[in-house]
Amino acid sequence: MNKPVTCDIFCAVVDNYGDIGVCWRLARQFAGEHGVAVRLWVDDLASFRKICPEIDPALPAQTVRNVEIRPWVSPFPQIEPADLVIEAFACKLPESYITAMAHRQLKPVWINLEHLSAEDWVEGCHRLPSPHPQLPLVKYFFFPGFTPQTGGLLLERDLLARRDAFRRDPRAATAFWQVLGVPPPKPDETRVSLFSYENSALPELLAAWAEGDKPVCCLVPEGRALPQVKRYFEEVGRDLSRRDSHVGSNPGLQGYSRGNLQVRVLPFVEQERYDELLWACDINFVRGEDSFVRAQWAGRPFVWHIYPQLDGVHIQKLRAFLARYCAGLAPDVAQAQRVWWEAWNGEAGRGTEPKIPVGEAWNNFLAHRPTLRQHAAIWAQQLSGNNLALNMLDFFREVGKIRAS
Ligand code: TRH
């Protein structure tokens, strides 16, 4: 079989939106670009609805963008397994489904899609087989990543062309801001989108923006960083929400201001629209996994708030990415990038970089904006040659040949 005709993707939502964000993107790409009949099994349709408002969590089955969406319930229904089975982030398939896979005459290609990491060991583990201890089945580990020896990154066929068309046409951004109810940027303003977890560096950064000599407009999607933003403005005592509550076409939009800082609270937008926000901003703050990748496709300077892990291993992952990302940069630019990213991730002064105040780290980073912008565009272009969905389909073909021989 050259191409899978059917594909089951299993997604357990551990927390936040990254698990479903990645699975939904992959499902849409297989269905829309490769004509695969995809069933997406999700254990939390309410979280799914946040990034795709068309989802009705009450339905036992629904088709959205050519993907069949099914709630992952227990007991799991008796169904014929697909040609390609994707277990996202080791979410553990239902036992009855695994048994049914073993009963298929031509066994499905079973892939465990792993989390993204820039660490070196990923290359050695990508595509490794793990035979089932009892059943005639093999599960393969598939690692996304940043080098040709990894599975690459999720990238829609037309994304970069759509991004460039959006940027070429000034009316596109104007229309986008209008729909969100946000005024277009002032000429000397820095416009940032801020999607992060709770972050101890945030109040200091807001203060630096407010006290800075150039206007900053910060767009904060509803979510985990927002209570901290609100607290900051409560403490400094300026809430714009009452006098500024009827902005553009989005009457509920909240805003705050102090000094040179304007903050606008954005509703969580549909996943496809989130890209436009990244394209339209000068600098993007992103987090987790999927928004981190999308900021790279946006080809603009960005800042990553990595998903914090209790044992601190996330810092190794952060540094592994920084090492790759900064490789082509002049030493002073690389240092400004590293110091600022470490400060944003609560690591100021703990690594090899000097400890400096958050505002200073930001200003040094900002001072290199033209170079970082150029670098971000080149980086996106370089990464775009290694496409995760295409690699998975190639892998299916290769494993298929082994199964048939
Ligand atoms: O939400 P995240 O923090 O998700 C994850 C999960 O916590 C997961 O368990 C963890 O393993 C992983 O991080 C590392 O961040 P992420 O990955 O960026 O996912 C957010 C998704 O939400 C992404 O698909 C973009 C989408 N999104 C929208 O659709 N609209 C929006 O307005 C915004 C801000 C985001």
Side-chain angles (χ1 to χ4, degrees), residues 17-18 21-22 24-25 28 50-53 65 156 159 162-163 166-167 176-177 179-180 192-197 219-223 225 266-305 344:
Y17 308 106
V22 168
W24 177 225
R25 205 176 281 296
R28 282 204 317 269
K50 193 89 176 163
I51 62 166
C52 178
R65 317 279 155 74
E156 295 81 0
L159 186 83
R162 283 195 289 117
R163 178 199 68 185
F166 181 92
R167 294 236 172 96
F176 177 72
W177 295 128
V179 170
L180 282 183
V192 305
S193 72
L194 195 149
F195 183 46
S196 78
Y197 307 110
L219 305 168
V220 188
E222 280 170 342
L266 298 185
F268 217 79
V269 294
E270 191 171 355
Q271 200 185 44
E272 283 103 322
R273 292 233 92 178
Y274 179 58
D275 282 317
E276 292 172 51
L277 178 65
L278 300 174
W279 300 342
C281 284
D282 301 306
I283 297 175
N284 294 300
F285 286 63
V286 286
R287 72 183 202 193
E289 185 161 325
D290 190 55
S291 59
F292 167 56
V293 173
R294 304 316 279 184
Q296 292 173 67
W297 295 139
R300 288 268 161 95
F302 70 104
V303 192
W304 183 26
H305 193 186
W344 185 242

Side-chain angles (χ1 to χ4, degrees), residues 6-10 37-41 70 72-73 75-87 91-104 107-111 132 135 137:
T6 57
C7 170
D8 279 323
I9 302 179
F10 286 84
V38 182
R39 271 184 307 210
L40 175 56
W41 301 89
R70 304 281 296 267
W72 180 350
V73 288
F76 196 73
Q78 289 298 329
I79 50 160
E80 170 73 9
D83 305 324
L84 172 62
V85 176
I86 297 172
E87 177 178 340
C91 64
K92 217 166 176 298
L93 302 188
E95 280 304 323
S96 61
Y97 185 88
I98 296 177
T99 310
M101 279 163 75
H103 284 137
R104 254 187 68 146
K107 307 291 179 257
V109 174
W110 180 6
I111 288 178
H132 192 282
L135 299 170
L137 291 170

Side-chain angles (χ1 to χ4, degrees), residues 345-382:
N345 283 279
E347 284 299 298
R350 284 196 219 163
T352 49
E353 307 303 337
K355 181 171 171 63
I356 60 170
V358 168
E360 199 181 321
W362 164 261
N363 284 329
N364 290 346
F365 169 80
L366 200 65
H368 295 291
R369 196 160 106 181
T371 313
L372 287 169
R373 198 165 163 142
Q374 234 178 0
H375 181 69
I378 296 168
W379 176 258
Q381 203 52 46
Q382 279 168 356

Side-chain angles (χ1 to χ4, degrees), residues 3-7 27 30-38 66 84 393:
K3 210 170 77 172
V5 175
T6 57
C7 170
F30 274 161
E33 295 181 9
H34 303 284
V36 179
V38 182
N66 294 322
L84 172 62
L393 295 178

